[in-house]
Amino acid sequence: MIRVKTDPQIQAMREGGAMLATVLTILRKETLPGVTPKDLARRARQELRALGGEPAFLGYQGYPDVICISVNSQVQHSIPTDKPLQPGDIVNLDFGVKHKGMITDGGITFCVGEKPTADQQRLLQGTERALQAALDVVKDGCRVGDVSAAIEDVLKRHKLGIVRELVGHGVGYELHEDPEIPNYGSKGTGPVLRAGMTIAIEPIANLGHEEIVGDHDGWTLWTADGSLSAQFEHSVLVTANGCEVLTQA
Ligand code: MF3
Ligand code: CO
């Protein structure tokens, strides 16, 4: 069942989403060569506490940190490590905030310390443009398949591998609620979105093949072919005419 949120719940998600975006902006600036994902996770914890929010990922199904930091061919859900980042690494920060009982989820991917190569740029731009294309179709009355198809179209045009196993999702009371929002699909299919619903949209794409493999840590996922992977995510409110991005400062 897809649940519609009340105005105070939506307001709480706006406030929490703004905290989330603020922390990601700070972390992005601090993601320099030599810094470790663990350093960044510590900073995320500190900055979120200073803003008055609580981490939403910590303890979720046993997840051991406040943020997922996936580097290069790590696809998603990676536990921050103490391996120093290097110039040219592709880093995904995926962060969740709980505020006044409500959860928001958001992520960004970027290149560390130097300009991305042409292929890295295709991965980063294609994945971010896929998220934007999804935001452009979300509105009251649209179907999940419309959103999925918009994402698939952009990822395919950028010749990226579309990770099938991971999906966007409803968000708010829980980190993961109905509906699932795959990053591929057909227009006119799937559940209807209504004003007041809140969803997290997260295209996840690989520079190479779509296949992924799991790590023995139970969380980290890797591209099977060792190619780079990217993710961009926003939590949004469905409105009568479009959507409102909640995870922005
Ligand atoms: N955006 C990720 C997702 O929806 C967040 C995962 S948090 C974790 O899957 F704790 F489950 F890793
Ligand atoms: Co998510």
Side-chain angles (χ1 to χ4, degrees):
M1 193 191 49
I2 313 177
R3 293 188 290 176
V4 166
K5 275 71 179 183
T6 66
D7 285 343
Q9 289 168 344
I10 291 165
Q11 186 53 28
M13 292 179 73
R14 259 186 212 113
E15 292 168 8
M19 294 175 194
L20 190 157
T22 300
V23 172
L24 286 183
T25 302
I26 294 169
L27 259 56
R28 180 178 188 151
K29 282 202 201 96
E30 296 183 0
T31 306
L32 299 169
V35 169
T36 72
K38 267 196 181 148
D39 296 332
L40 295 171
R42 205 171 307 119
R43 293 287 299 123
R45 204 187 275 254
Q46 287 169 346
E47 291 294 331
L48 181 60
R49 185 183 303 142
L51 291 166
E54 297 162 57
F57 294 175
L58 184 65
Y60 175 79
Q61 294 186 0
Y63 187 73
D65 212 317
V66 299
I67 188 168
C68 300
I69 304 185
S70 307
V71 182
N72 293 332
S73 57
Q74 292 180 335
V75 177
Q76 272 283 283
H77 299 171
S78 308
I79 301 166
T81 67
D82 49 20
K83 183 167 180 263
L85 294 166
Q86 296 181 27
D89 280 348
I90 293 293
V91 175
N92 169 234
L93 307 176
D94 184 352
F95 194 38
V97 169
K98 189 168 186 179
H99 176 62
K100 297 181 178 165
M102 300 301 290
I103 293 173
T104 47
D105 186 11
I108 54 173
T109 307
F110 53 89
C111 184
V112 180
E114 57 188 41
K115 260 187 64 191
T117 65
D119 271 345
Q120 288 176 337
Q121 185 73 351
R122 174 162 58 84
L123 173 68
L124 297 172
Q125 269 190 358
T127 314
E128 189 164 20
R129 285 175 181 165
L131 174 56
Q132 187 55 53
L135 301 181
D136 290 344
V137 304
V138 171
K139 65 173 182 187
D140 181 85
C142 93
R143 285 177 176 266
V144 167
D146 302 340
V147 180
S148 299
I151 294 170
E152 179 176 8
D153 177 56
V154 175
L155 295 180
K156 280 195 169 153
R157 276 195 281 120
H158 287 79
K159 302 199 172 358
L160 300 171
I162 303 175
V163 175
R164 312 267 157 176
E165 293 85 345
L166 300 166
V167 293
H169 48 92
V171 67
Y173 306 116
E174 315 274 348
L175 177 58
H176 294 143
E177 302 176 359
D178 288 343
E180 287 195 347
I181 306 176
N183 292 313
Y184 61 95
S186 307
K187 274 188 199 165
T189 66
V192 176
L193 298 177
R194 290 294 175 202
M197 292 177 180
T198 48
I199 54 175
I201 305 176
E202 49 183 317
I204 301 156
N206 302 340
L207 203 42
H209 195 263
E210 65 190 41
E211 197 187 327
I212 61 173
V213 290
D215 193 286
H216 55 76
D217 71 10
W219 285 100
T220 308
L221 301 167
W222 302 81
T223 58
D225 63 5
S227 67
L228 301 175
S229 187
Q231 180 251 26
F232 285 83
E233 179 174 23
H234 273 310
S235 295
V236 306
L237 168 70
V238 182
T239 64
N241 304 311
C243 70
E244 176 187 335
V245 175
L246 299 168
T247 39
Q248 66 188 355

